[in-house]
Structure formats: structure tokens, C-alpha cells
Amino acid sequence: MSSIPSVLFVCVHNAGRSQMAAGFLKDLANGTVEVRSAGSTPAEIINSIAVQAMAEVGIDISAQSPKIRLFRLDGGLV
């Protein structure tokens, strides 16, 4: 088990909110937290408005891409 905390941000398309949240935490945590984001129905590309908004505060999320996160029927993660 890793001694570094891990955070998973999830939203449906993983193209905006969760990508922005992950970007903020990565920036603030400076490598002290494993940060991931995913969605249940990922979009094809990250939202350009999210990329632009983050760039305005000095955080580059342009290289990110939507990723899938599957959930079991009992609520657990796959």
C-alpha cells in the first residue's frame, strides 16, 4: 500500500469539472498526492473552455484526455 494519498475526481464526461479539479489539486499538492480523474461516459476530448479557464490561472491541462472509470453494481470501483 502506498503511503501517498490518492484522490479520484469523477464526473460523467471527464472533460471539464473533474479535469479542472484534478489540475488544481496537482498544482497545489506539488507531487504529495496522487491525483486522478475519470468519468463514467467520457467525452472524446477535454472541454476547450475548461482548458482556457485553467490557463487563465496558470495551470495547463491541455495535455489531459477524458478517461473512463467503471463502477460495479454494488457501488465499488472496477
Side-chain angles (χ1 to χ4, degrees):
M1 184 174 191
S2 175
S3 61
I4 186 170
S6 180
V7 176
L8 171 63
F9 292 99
V10 179
C11 69
V12 175
H13 300 295
N14 189 229
R17 293 178 301 266
S18 57
Q19 293 285 356
M20 293 173 75
F24 276 123
L25 184 55
K26 283 179 187 175
D27 187 64
L28 293 169
N30 199 28
T32 61
V33 176
E34 176 190 25
V35 181
R36 297 178 291 154
S37 69
S40 56
T41 310
E44 290 187 27
I45 60 171
I46 193 167
N47 186 311
S48 62
I49 295 172
V51 173
Q52 179 183 353
M54 294 300 285
E56 290 176 5
V57 296
I59 299 173
D60 182 9
I61 62 170
S62 63
Q64 299 302 314
S65 61
K67 295 165 276 313
I68 192 164
R69 185 66 194 170
L70 300 175
F71 297 89
R72 297 189 318 237
L73 292 177
D74 66 2
L77 297 176
V78 174

